[in-house]
């Protein structure tokens, strides 16, 4: 096709007089007196390109009958548009129709509920909202790599199939080649010695443990990849398959970790405002009025830091009752997290130094003997978007903690080796990528920020 261009660059360059070809899906066809107007969208931006079809074009009659959703290629000359709302339009010289639609095409209306669209996740990339969300997702993925690269971090790939359960929450999906209908049994237990890896394995819940080993040689590293949790919770914030970004920094403590997380979030907010301006304007208009202002404030504000103990004291004084109990030693539920970030702070909040008994084995024990150097970053509406910690780098204390928690020091001897030889203070965190996108776009359900969501009972597309 001669001089084929995406609509985003056609509208940006507005090279009037140029011959070009554009391809995409018809959003609407309007027929006037001896002239037809196609609004054509190719997913490169929110805006559609107006295409003018004069009645002397051989394809005119066919164009007039085109339904919403048809796939076409149009060659013509870019002209100044006399109409309001657009600077240029394409005067068609040739129209090629690739795929028509019939009346059963489900995306006919301008506005469908997100719930309806989830049921047609294979078609929703053609809806404006999902175009905007997936473009923003793409831009932010790139921004993540740029942020870390500018700071000298090495991008590392940690395994997806693993024999360790990093978070120890028992939420791993199993990976096996054994016959699940009749697995080999020894003394009443499944015998994994004949399984593919010779031991039980699953999909990773976090790349952290391997990330730590890489940081112990490369200093500053990060992972960015799919993460799996068989958490049977049907909430707007949980997916069984989500993407996590996990930086790990050697020779760093909890304060360094929080500083990195704060810089990171602010950078991503700034990037979205600058590089996704049209999509952000769409979210501001259609999804969450004021989202641009909110994200801008986020990029410029200082994140508040508060100890868990203080957070509990604040919650105990709250002039309202919660569904879940509040007491020192209990984990914070989403309602508590939201109260703290929305009502107490009115913005992002780091909660630091949680009780050791509600956190993972690898977190560094504080001198008080009852808390660990953990941090969660909470934001309004979404709650926790980052979980991280300084790691226990002292071999004896780590082994003691593992014994207390019933975690095999033998199975993780490779992890303990990093504490045996050349150990050093280090810290890191995990950012839930989908939760970040929710926060930046104003989308309220995790199922609507990942193209094909995996949630309990749903893996059909
Ligand atoms: O707090 P989490 O469980 O922390 C870890 O996995 C650490 N190993 C990270 C580290 O220190 N390297 O998970 C980190 C983040 C959460 O804050 C949340 O944003 C996201 O991952 N997350 C989920 N996102 C969507 N669906 C789920 N089921 C999620 N579980 C965690
Ligand atoms: Mg967490």
């Amino acid at each position: 096709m001669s001089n084929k261009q995406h609509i985003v660059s056609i509208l940006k360059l507005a090279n009037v007089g140029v011959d070009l070809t554009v391809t995409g899906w018809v959003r609407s066809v309007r027929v006037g007196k001896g002239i037809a107007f196609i609004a054509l969208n190719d997913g490169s931006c929110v805006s559609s390109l107006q295409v003018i079809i004069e009645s002397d074009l051989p394809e005119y009659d066919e164009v007039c009958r085109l339904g919403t959703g048809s796939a076409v290629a149009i060659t013509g000359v870019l002209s100044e548009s006399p109409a309001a709302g657009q600077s240029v339009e394409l005067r068609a010289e040739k129209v090629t129709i690739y795929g028509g639609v019939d009346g059963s095409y489900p995306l006919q209306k301008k506005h469908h509920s997100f719930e309806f669209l989830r049921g047609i996740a294979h078609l929703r990339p053609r809806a404006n909202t999902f175009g905007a969300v997936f473009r923003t997702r793409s831009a932010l993925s790139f921004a993540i790599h740029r942020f870390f690269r500018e700071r000298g971090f090495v991008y590392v790939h940690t395994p997806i199939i693993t024999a360790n359960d990093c978070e120890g929450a028992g939420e791993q999906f199993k990976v096996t080649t054994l016959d699940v209908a009749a697995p080999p049994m020894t003394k009443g237990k499944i015998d994994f010695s004949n399984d593919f890896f010779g031991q039980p394995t699953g999909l990773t819940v976090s790349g952290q443990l391997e990330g730590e080993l890489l940081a112990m040689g490369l200093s500053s590293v990060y992972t960015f990849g799919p993460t799996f949790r068989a958490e049977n919770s049907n909430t707007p914030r949980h997916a069984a398959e989500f993407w996590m970004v996990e930086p790990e920094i050697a020779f760093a403590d909890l304060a360094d970790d929080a500083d990195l997380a704060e810089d990171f979030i602010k950078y991503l907010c700034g990037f979205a405002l600058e590089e996704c301006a049209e999509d952000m304007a769409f979210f501001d208009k259609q999804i969450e009025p004021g989202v641009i202002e909110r994200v801008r404030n986020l990029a410029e504000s200082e994140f508040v830091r508060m100890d868990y103990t203080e957070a509990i004291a604040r919650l105990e004084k709250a002039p309202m009752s919660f569904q879940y109990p509040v007491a020192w030693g209990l984990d914070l539920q989403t309602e508590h997290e939201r109260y703290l970030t929305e009502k107490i702070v009115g913005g992002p909040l780091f909660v630091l130094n949680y009780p050791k008994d509600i956190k993972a084995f690898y977190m560094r024990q504080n001198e008080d003997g009852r808390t660990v150097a953990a941090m969660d970053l909470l934001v309004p509406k979404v709650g926790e978007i980052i979980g991280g910690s300084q790691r226990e780098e002292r071999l004896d204390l780590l082994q003691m903690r593992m014994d207390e928690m019933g975690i095999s020091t033998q199975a993780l001897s490779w992890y303990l080796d990093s504490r045996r030889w050349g150990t050093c203070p280090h810290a890191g965190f995990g950012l839930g990528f989908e939760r970040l996108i929710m926060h930046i776009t104003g989308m309220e359900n995790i199922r609507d920020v990942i193209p094909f969501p995996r949630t309990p009972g749903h893996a059909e597309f």
Side-chain angles (χ1 to χ4, degrees):
M1 281 179 211
S2 66
N3 195 19
K4 180 166 147 15
Q5 292 184 19
H6 283 135
I7 290 172
V8 65
S9 39
I10 295 174
L11 294 177
K12 196 189 281 169
L13 301 174
N15 272 332
V16 167
V18 165
D19 264 296
L20 53 87
T21 299
V22 59
T23 53
W25 294 268
V26 171
R27 281 291 156 85
S28 66
V29 178
R30 206 155 44 84
V31 181
K33 279 206 188 86
I35 195 168
F37 304 90
I38 298 179
L40 192 72
N41 192 279
D42 65 358
S44 62
C45 56
V46 176
S47 300
S48 294
L49 178 68
Q50 168 147 290
V51 182
I52 310 290
I53 320 279
E54 309 266 9
S55 57
D56 53 3
L57 220 67
E59 304 92 342
Y60 180 77
D61 289 338
E62 223 182 328
V63 165
C64 290
R65 289 192 302 273
L66 273 182
T68 296
S70 303
V72 297
I74 297 163
T75 301
V77 185
L78 202 64
S79 318
E80 252 172 65
S81 174
Q86 67 214 11
S87 62
V88 290
E89 60 193 20
L90 188 68
R91 303 206 147 253
E93 287 164 353
K94 181 173 170 37
V95 179
T96 308
I97 298 167
Y98 287 101
V101 290
D102 61 18
S104 60
Y105 181 60
L107 270 175
Q108 302 276 0
K109 281 199 304 184
K110 242 186 155 163
H111 297 288
H112 293 283
S113 74
F114 290 147
E115 202 168 6
F116 170 80
L117 291 169
R118 257 170 246 150
I120 50 165
H122 55 305
L123 296 172
R124 68 178 182 170
R126 296 186 199 175
N128 281 337
T129 301
F130 293 91
V133 168
F134 299 148
R135 279 189 300 273
T136 305
R137 188 178 167 110
S138 164
L140 287 171
S141 303
F142 172 78
I144 285 164
H145 290 300
R146 205 169 84 173
F147 173 88
F148 286 120
R149 187 159 178 84
E150 282 171 358
R151 282 157 188 77
F153 281 66
V154 179
Y155 176 36
V156 295
H157 299 128
T158 50
I160 285 179
I161 300 175
T162 170
N164 72 70
D165 178 0
C166 171
E167 296 305 303
E171 291 167 344
Q172 264 190 322
F173 286 100
K174 307 257 180 297
V175 171
T176 181
T177 51
L178 294 178
D179 178 356
V180 289
M185 305 292 285
T186 304
K187 293 187 192 142
K189 283 198 170 151
I190 297 179
D191 180 0
F192 285 96
S193 61
N194 285 318
D195 200 354
F196 193 91
F197 297 105
Q199 61 177 322
T201 53
L203 297 178
T204 186
V205 297
S206 162
Q208 180 195 319
L209 301 188
E210 296 88 351
E212 284 186 50
L213 307 182
L214 287 150
M216 293 301 204
L218 295 161
S219 293
S220 302
V221 302
Y222 70 104
T223 68
F224 179 21
T227 309
F228 309 87
R229 294 193 187 176
E231 212 169 346
N232 200 3
S233 42
N234 249 314
T235 81
R237 285 172 295 279
H238 288 89
E241 178 176 311
F242 61 99
W243 283 60
M244 188 153 47
V245 186
E246 294 185 275
E248 191 69 34
I249 31 178
F251 304 99
D253 62 15
L254 189 64
D256 299 321
D257 203 28
D259 288 346
L260 178 69
E262 183 169 343
D263 287 351
F264 184 44
I265 297 295
K266 287 178 171 173
Y267 180 93
L268 297 175
C269 289
F271 190 94
L273 291 172
E274 208 161 296
E275 304 280 330
C276 310
E278 194 204 17
D279 291 325
M280 289 302 295
F282 174 87
F283 299 132
D284 204 72
K285 195 159 166 239
Q286 304 285 345
I287 305 297
E288 180 195 329
V291 66
I292 290 183
E293 185 63 20
R294 179 170 65 67
V295 172
R296 188 172 295 126
N297 285 340
L298 191 68
E300 286 161 9
S301 65
E302 197 160 313
F303 292 11
V304 175
R305 299 177 190 200
M306 184 189 287
D307 266 6
Y308 166 89
T309 301
E310 156 103 19
I312 291 294
R314 295 291 192 102
L315 288 166
E316 282 172 339
K317 285 196 210 107
M320 54 179 286
S321 58
F322 296 106
Q323 193 188 340
Y324 291 92
V326 173
W328 200 98
L330 297 182
D331 208 356
L332 300 180
Q333 302 295 325
T334 302
E335 56 173 347
H336 308 136
E337 295 177 342
R338 290 191 57 176
Y339 177 81
L340 290 167
T341 138
E342 290 168 20
K343 299 284 191 294
I344 300 277
V345 174
L349 166 70
F350 282 110
V351 177
L352 306 165
N353 300 310
Y354 282 75
K356 63 179 184 190
D357 290 334
I358 56 171
K359 289 294 185 186
F361 74 94
Y362 53 70
M363 296 192 182
R364 192 175 199 277
Q365 296 161 62
N366 288 328
E367 289 193 349
D368 61 14
R370 59 179 199 158
T371 62
V372 285
M375 65 168 203
D376 277 5
L377 178 64
L378 314 180
V379 295
K381 277 168 61 176
V382 181
E384 176 192 340
I385 62 170
I386 281 180
S389 64
Q390 185 172 340
R391 320 305 189 189
E392 184 54 84
E393 86 285 12
R394 298 161 296 186
L395 179 64
D396 49 344
L397 287 166
L398 182 57
Q399 278 174 325
M400 221 186 309
R401 190 71 190 129
M402 290 170 76
D403 288 341
E404 275 170 21
M405 295 176 74
I407 294 167
S408 163
T409 50
Q410 205 189 341
L412 288 183
S413 66
W414 49 272
Y415 181 70
L416 292 169
D417 277 353
S418 63
R419 274 66 170 172
R420 272 186 195 106
W421 301 301
T423 191
C424 72
H426 61 291
F429 64 81
L431 166 73
F433 187 45
E434 285 73 21
R435 293 190 186 175
L436 171 84
I437 299 168
M438 290 167 70
H439 192 55
I440 287 184
T441 61
M443 295 294 286
E444 291 186 343
N445 196 309
I446 197 165
R447 294 163 181 78
D448 299 330
V449 298
I450 185 163
F452 301 102
R454 297 288 177 258
T455 52
H458 291 287
E460 56 272 46
F461 299 102

